[in-house]
Amino acid sequence: MNVSGPSRSGVGDGRGDVIVETRNLSKTYRDFWGRRKKVALKPLDLEIRRGEIFGLLGPNGSGKTTTLKLLLGLIFPTSGEALVFGSEATDVRKNERIGYLPEESYLYKFLDAEETLDFYGRLFDMPPDERRRRALMLIEMVGLARDRKRQLREYSKGMTRRIGVAQALINDPELVMLDEPTSGLDPIGTREMKDLIVDLKARGKTVIMCSHLLADVEDVCDRIAVLHQGELKELGRVEDLLRVGDVTQIRARGLPPAAEAEIREVLARHGGTGVEIGNPKTTLEDLFLEVVRDAEARPGRRAAASLRGGDDHSTRAG
Amino acid sequence: MVLEEEIPRFAAWIGPALVRYLFAGGLAAVCAAGAAWLTQAIAHGPLAAGDRVYRGILAGLADLAGTSPRRVWALARLAVQESLRRNVLVVLGVFGLILLFAGWFLDPASVDPGKLYIGFILAATNFLVCAVVLLLSVFSLPADIKSRTIQTVTTKPVRTGEIVLGRILGFALVGTVLLAIMGAAGWAFVVRSVSHTHGVAPEDLLDTTDESGATVGATGRTSLDRGHRHRVVIGPDGTGVAETAQGHRHRVRRVEGGYEIGAAEGLLEARRPLRGTLRFLDRDGRPSAKGISVGSEWAYRQYIEGGTPAAAIWTFSGLSERAFPDGLPLEMIVRVFRTHKGRIEDGIHGTVQLRNPDSGQRSEAFPIVAREFSIDELFIPRRVGTMLADGGTREVDLYEELVADGRLEVWLQCLEPGQYYGVAQADFFMRTGNGSFVVNYAKGCLGIWFAMLIVTALGVMFSTFLAGPVAMLATLAVILVGQFRGFIARLFESQVTGDFSIVPGGGPIESLVRIATQESITVDWDPTPAAQVIKAADTVLLAPMRLAASIFPSLSELGTGDFVTAGFAIPGDLLAAHAAETLGFVVAFALAGAFCLKAREIAS
């Protein structure tokens, strides 16, 4: 299932394993008369590398789903370009290596789980034996073995979400795009979904996900991009973005209270062993809200470095 | 039956047809590319637009090359499943209801019940099948786009051509199954409805005797069944015939205790005709390109005046002893135009005469009586009398004296002054044999199948860029323009040449003005400036309509139901041409649909 399209940029399997790249990618929706209706995405430059879990965050209407649709070729850019595996996003051959879970599981309700996976397997030109093997394996994996003969119209939202995930993985894709993957799932389902995403990463897959559920993103994403009103406001590794740079946190386990004074004394003398010292984190939710507030206060600018404490480090005991 | 144009040999037809097809397809493609460039140029400038269109065409062609039968079949299966989910089989119940009402309302005592029943069944089947596939094809894709299920399909390695082709194939499969069921049920209904027999009561028969008074047979009439009865003629061997009435006859044979009348013959037939070419003589006996117009707007049949030398002359070719060893089975459809009523229940008398086209030798005249609405039969035996110069007659062999190199002239003349015979070229023919009615009926259904395929492809094509209801209207509009393409072509010719005898009344604006002012269409306008402006505007309006009409399909021309209802075998050449035409339209619509779908944003 290799895409053999020519690489226009050297991205993809060659240069640093960048498999998704956008250059000045923008999207403006227009009405029937060509008048500008909404700027959904302002020029966006992104690179997503093989094996990482990349999260697109933003409030409603921020452009994250638009970005995903542009990467999938479901809509066309107004300017700029989106490259996936080195091919233009509108090149249908790239889809052989992609799995996509839409925000709602847009599936044919009159099919049952087996028929659904068989249908999507056919779309990948998979031979019958492989289709059957993959379908059974995925149905088992998403926990729908007992309900595989029921029409999807009878499924609960959570079950529909699971079969949606299964169809996204039917071709064992290299790149998985998930739009609100935990939407509609109960806490257990959410946990399983997050485990699945982490497992995909462990198997060398690349995952791009949109989500409103910040805790989920925080739990699984390596890097995130925060969009607001179609504009990229923040981009980086989650642990970097969440680090509070002007605070130093020291953690220790099982120390008697008397030892704290001793640690302080030790710290005062610049050293010690068995003591964990690091940067405490705020929550992703706090960061997200601050980014949004900052964006509204200062439109057209990237989020202030001070929001994440810059590179300043200060040490504080206790 | 009406056959306005000769049916060309498929081998001779396909070459020029293919050239015209490629030219029209190329022109349409260039126009589409130009329109795409124009819209892109407005948004992105001319150079970028050119680049986009060029890349779009390349990508489209690459997509076509990557078409996978497995994906197409998967999408076709999905279309079938979707159709079943939409309870498409309900239409079979509707068809059953129609059959029930047909059995109730159709009159078996009509002039030609076979024609009535077959025509009705084929029309109902055609309408229902085409309506179902139209509804399925125009609403399916827009519904998928609206519900966004299409997004899980287009994010797979599915080419837009596969989506279009899969839908066409799926809905065509549904239509085919429906057509097969309706066709079979319709056939059974027709056969059961027209099948009948009669009885012959002994008191209805009179013995016929020879000069010596010996009984040599009997004549009489059958019982009255299904609104008709037959005149019965029985020979000395006890067999006979119940003569033609309502387009059929019965064989009669003696059985113990009376006579048995067989099944109806001639109701459900598939005649194989050998047709000739027609020319006329006017009332003074001079050659004429046409007969007389009796004022009918439809100039298909030309008329000859009775009681004058006027004649309609058919020249047949390919007649041979091998093909017709016993004689020539001539069959005739002769229409009558009466300038006085006469005895309305009697036919109009005339003659048929044979003539050697080389030597001019003529046979004796065969008397005929033209009956409206039926095919008259005249069997010309091997031995026929010929006219001698001295007024006498001589019996000769048909093939030795009258047929010259397989050619023979058949002259038709009307004997009654003040009455007219109306004929067309296809009205006189030699019956070379009979095809199977079932096969012919199946061929008639094949004509419906062609129409169904075109409607499906057209509906799917429009649904790639229009909402369901709009796609349906667009499909109907194309079908409508296609139906009137002959009229639009003549109207345009009339506008361009200024010859308003071709189509009187002018184009759309002129017609509107005439309607508003209640002006007769037979009076041409004076060339005032206003009239000239209107006529010029009409020409401009008609030009694109003329172009569209020349490339849009005419479903009625694809239909071959007329052959079946009239009892003629559908020629293989015609069927092959229709199949090629259908394939051409389906391919063109599928390609157009694939490019339209590729050019649109699925998720916008």
Side-chain angles (χ1 to χ4, degrees):
Chain A
M1 291 202 297
N2 285 332
V3 173
S4 57
S7 175
R8 286 163 49 85
S9 65
V11 292
D13 298 338
R15 199 197 68 192
D17 269 358
V18 174
I19 59 171
V20 174
E21 182 178 6
T22 67
R23 298 173 187 158
N24 284 319
L25 184 67
S26 73
K27 179 65 184 175
T28 302
Y29 288 109
R30 297 178 187 276
D31 66 10
F32 179 80
W33 305 105
R35 293 175 300 191
R36 179 179 295 191
K37 202 163 72 177
K38 176 178 167 56
V39 178
L41 188 66
K42 293 174 183 172
L44 174 69
D45 292 298
L46 271 183
E47 281 188 355
I48 299 170
R49 295 173 190 279
R50 183 182 299 279
E52 69 177 344
I53 303 174
F54 190 88
L56 282 167
L57 299 181
N60 291 334
S62 61
K64 55 189 189 305
T65 299
T66 297
T67 306
L68 215 52
K69 287 178 177 174
L70 284 164
L71 293 178
L72 286 161
L74 291 171
I75 53 176
F76 307 143
T78 304
S79 64
E81 58 184 348
L83 301 174
V84 180
F85 294 116
S87 299
E88 282 189 22
T90 50
D91 185 348
V92 73
R93 290 171 300 179
K94 75 175 190 314
N95 292 347
E96 290 173 3
R97 303 161 74 180
I98 291 178
Y100 170 55
L101 174 69
E103 186 175 355
E104 299 286 331
S105 293
Y106 305 128
L107 303 170
Y108 293 97
K109 307 284 187 199
F110 49 88
L111 300 178
D112 64 31
E114 278 186 354
E115 288 170 338
T116 298
L117 296 187
D118 183 70
F119 168 66
Y120 289 108
R122 284 171 189 267
L123 298 187
F124 283 100
D125 224 352
M126 291 163 65
D129 289 346
E130 191 185 347
R131 278 203 312 269
R132 184 164 179 75
R133 185 183 60 77
R134 289 284 302 168
L136 290 175
M137 188 270 285
L138 288 168
I139 286 172
E140 192 69 37
M141 186 191 89
V142 297
L144 291 172
R146 283 192 307 172
D147 302 296
R148 66 182 189 278
K149 291 291 183 189
R150 287 170 63 192
Q151 285 189 331
L152 301 197
R153 73 171 83 240
E154 299 170 8
Y155 276 17
S156 67
K157 189 169 183 182
M159 292 163 80
T160 309
R161 208 75 192 129
R162 291 178 193 199
I163 192 64
V165 171
Q167 67 81 26
L169 300 177
I170 187 70
N171 58 325
D172 194 16
E174 295 173 49
L175 170 64
V176 185
M177 298 197 197
L178 307 171
D179 198 353
E180 303 290 351
T182 55
S183 165
L185 294 179
D186 59 22
I188 297 171
T190 301
R191 182 71 263 162
E192 288 172 350
M193 177 65 79
K194 288 197 282 191
D195 288 347
L196 172 68
I197 294 169
V198 172
D199 182 54
L200 287 172
K201 173 184 162 70
R203 288 195 281 135
K205 316 291 184 191
T206 310
V207 180
I208 302 174
M209 59 182 280
C210 296
S211 184
H212 289 106
L213 302 174
L214 305 178
D216 296 345
V217 174
E218 182 182 357
D219 284 350
V220 298
C221 285
D222 298 318
R223 286 200 304 146
I224 57 168
V226 180
L227 297 168
H228 181 254
Q229 291 182 351
E231 198 171 6
L232 180 67
K233 293 295 182 185
E234 189 61 271
L235 173 67
R237 297 191 64 79
V238 175
E239 59 190 45
D240 293 339
L241 294 173
L242 299 186
R243 184 193 307 135
V244 182
D246 57 351
V247 176
T248 300
Q249 185 178 34
I250 298 174
R251 286 179 179 168
R253 186 188 296 270
L255 290 178
E260 286 185 17
E262 189 178 346
I263 288 168
R264 288 192 187 96
E265 186 183 334
V266 170
L267 285 173
R269 291 202 306 270
H270 316 289
T273 59
V275 180
E276 185 181 329
I277 301 175
N279 295 345
K281 291 180 180 176
T282 183
T283 64
L284 182 58
E285 188 172 13
D286 286 344
L287 172 75
F288 172 74
L289 292 173
E290 282 192 50
V291 166
V292 171
R293 277 198 294 270
D294 183 61
E296 285 174 346
R298 300 185 305 155
R301 298 180 59 179
R302 295 281 289 265
S306 59
L307 285 178
R308 57 180 188 269
D311 294 329
D312 294 342
H313 288 265
S314 60
T315 302
R316 184 174 67 190
Chain B
M1 74 159 289
V2 174
L3 201 62
E4 300 209 40
E5 291 176 2
E6 279 190 71
I7 298 164
R9 306 285 301 171
F10 179 72
W13 173 85
I14 187 70
L18 199 59
V19 170
R20 282 199 304 273
Y21 176 74
L22 292 175
F23 176 74
L27 192 67
V30 168
C31 289
W37 177 83
L38 205 62
T39 50
Q40 291 292 311
I42 293 168
H44 305 287
L47 286 178
D51 180 54
R52 282 178 178 231
V53 171
Y54 173 70
R55 281 195 291 155
I57 291 171
L58 282 188
L61 293 176
D63 280 1
L64 288 178
T67 299
S68 152
R70 185 175 278 149
R71 283 195 288 266
V72 172
W73 179 237
L75 290 158
R77 275 171 45 120
L78 186 78
V80 172
Q81 286 171 299
E82 181 193 337
S83 305
L84 294 176
R85 186 185 65 85
R86 289 173 184 258
N87 297 321
V88 73
L89 296 180
V90 168
V91 77
L92 293 176
V94 174
F95 186 68
L97 274 177
I98 287 175
L99 290 189
L100 289 177
F101 278 96
W104 199 351
F105 286 112
L106 292 185
D107 183 11
S110 64
V111 175
D112 191 343
K115 195 172 180 176
L116 179 69
Y117 278 83
I118 298 168
F120 177 81
I121 289 300
L122 288 180
T125 306
N126 196 353
F127 173 77
L128 281 179
V129 171
C130 287
V132 166
V133 294
L134 172 67
L135 290 172
L136 288 175
S137 59
V138 297
F139 286 107
S140 170
L141 200 51
D144 262 16
I145 291 170
K146 190 176 178 184
S147 69
R148 301 181 186 178
T149 45
I150 194 73
Q151 293 183 20
T152 54
V153 174
T154 52
T155 50
K156 307 292 184 282
V158 178
R159 278 66 175 171
T160 52
E162 292 166 344
I163 295 174
V164 171
L165 209 55
R167 275 186 158 71
I168 292 175
L169 185 63
F171 296 137
L173 272 175
V174 172
T176 304
V177 170
L178 292 178
L179 177 60
I181 295 171
M182 288 186 198
W187 176 80
F189 174 78
V190 168
V191 169
R192 287 183 62 86
S193 298
V194 302
S195 296
H196 69 281
T197 184
H198 299 266
V200 184
E203 59 270 23
D204 286 336
L205 287 177
L206 288 175
D207 289 343
T208 52
T209 56
D210 61 10
E211 291 169 353
S212 64
T215 301
V216 294
T219 59
R221 61 180 190 175
T222 65
S223 59
L224 182 67
D225 295 289
R226 295 185 180 237
H228 71 281
R229 62 170 88 233
H230 300 260
R231 180 171 178 268
V232 176
V233 179
I234 297 167
D237 61 350
T239 61
V241 65
E243 292 181 340
T244 300
Q246 287 194 323
H248 69 280
R249 59 176 180 270
H250 301 264
R251 293 187 192 281
V252 183
R253 69 185 182 99
R254 184 158 45 208
V255 294
E256 194 176 333
Y259 290 93
E260 181 186 79
I261 296 194
E265 295 177 3
L267 270 177
L268 306 176
E269 288 198 300
R271 300 174 182 86
R272 289 209 179 95
L274 173 70
R275 292 195 167 90
T277 56
L278 175 62
R279 62 191 173 91
F280 291 93
L281 296 184
D282 65 15
R283 57 178 302 160
D284 299 319
R286 289 176 304 204
S288 168
K290 290 181 175 180
I292 294 170
S293 168
V294 294
S296 172
E297 283 188 31
W298 189 36
Y300 175 65
R301 288 199 167 85
Q302 299 287 310
Y303 286 76
I304 55 173
E305 188 177 348
T308 71
I313 304 165
W314 283 265
T315 304
F316 289 93
S317 303
L319 302 178
S320 69
E321 193 174 353
R322 189 176 165 196
F324 304 101
D326 301 325
L328 299 175
L330 178 65
E331 301 199 5
M332 307 164 289
I333 303 167
V334 182
R335 292 285 179 266
V336 170
F337 178 76
R338 296 167 186 258
T339 57
H340 56 89
K341 185 177 173 187
R343 285 175 60 84
I344 200 71
E345 64 271 19
D346 289 347
I348 300 296
H349 293 265
T351 61
V352 166
Q353 209 172 15
L354 310 179
R355 181 177 178 272
N356 185 318
D358 291 342
S359 68
Q361 189 176 1
R362 291 170 181 246
S363 73
E364 286 182 303
F366 296 90
I368 64 160
V369 178
R371 296 182 180 87
E372 293 272 9
F373 313 114
S374 68
I375 298 177
D376 298 312
E377 297 174 0
L378 176 66
F379 187 79
I380 299 167
R382 282 291 295 266
R383 305 294 296 176
V384 292
T386 54
M387 309 290 291
L388 296 175
D390 60 4
T393 59
R394 179 172 66 94
E395 197 171 76
V396 300
D397 183 81
L398 179 70
Y399 291 107
E400 288 177 5
E401 300 283 338
L402 293 173
V403 176
D405 298 330
R407 291 176 300 119
L408 175 71
E409 285 184 358
V410 175
W411 289 47
L412 171 72
Q413 289 182 296
C414 179
L415 294 179
E416 299 188 24
Q419 311 290 35
Y420 292 78
Y421 276 170
V423 288
Q425 182 163 288
D427 285 349
F428 269 46
F429 58 92
M430 306 292 174
R431 188 194 284 213
T432 61
N434 284 322
S436 157
F437 172 73
V438 179
V439 172
N440 208 40
Y441 180 84
K443 285 180 183 175
C445 289
L446 203 57
I448 298 174
W449 191 69
F450 293 151
M452 180 269 291
L453 279 183
I454 288 180
V455 171
T456 306
L458 202 52
V460 171
M461 182 198 74
F462 278 123
S463 73
T464 58
F465 61 95
L466 294 174
V470 187
M472 188 166 74
L473 285 177
T475 306
L476 290 174
V478 168
I479 292 170
L480 205 64
V481 170
Q483 289 301 98
F484 291 100
R485 66 181 184 182
F487 170 75
I488 292 171
R490 288 199 309 279
L491 182 58
F492 184 69
E493 184 189 348
S494 172
Q495 285 292 120
V496 171
T497 61
D499 179 2
F500 294 99
S501 66
I502 302 172
V503 176
I509 301 176
E510 185 179 335
S511 298
L512 194 65
V513 172
R514 284 179 185 274
I515 290 169
T517 56
Q518 297 187 337
E519 282 183 79
S520 167
I521 61 168
T522 56
V523 181
D524 198 10
W525 280 350
D526 293 330
T528 60
Q532 285 176 332
V533 167
I534 288 175
K535 284 179 188 292
D538 271 343
T539 306
V540 171
L541 279 176
L542 280 169
M545 287 176 72
R546 172 70 183 87
L547 187 66
S550 65
I551 58 172
F552 286 177
S554 168
L555 300 190
S556 62
E557 285 179 18
L558 283 176
T560 46
D562 285 350
F563 283 86
V564 186
T565 53
F568 287 90
I570 300 169
D573 283 318
L574 185 68
L575 219 52
H578 286 179
E581 207 176 329
T582 303
L583 181 67
F585 278 119
V586 170
V587 167
F589 293 147
L591 280 174
F595 274 90
C596 289
L597 191 59
K598 191 165 182 62
R600 74 170 287 180
E601 293 183 322
I602 292 292
S604 64

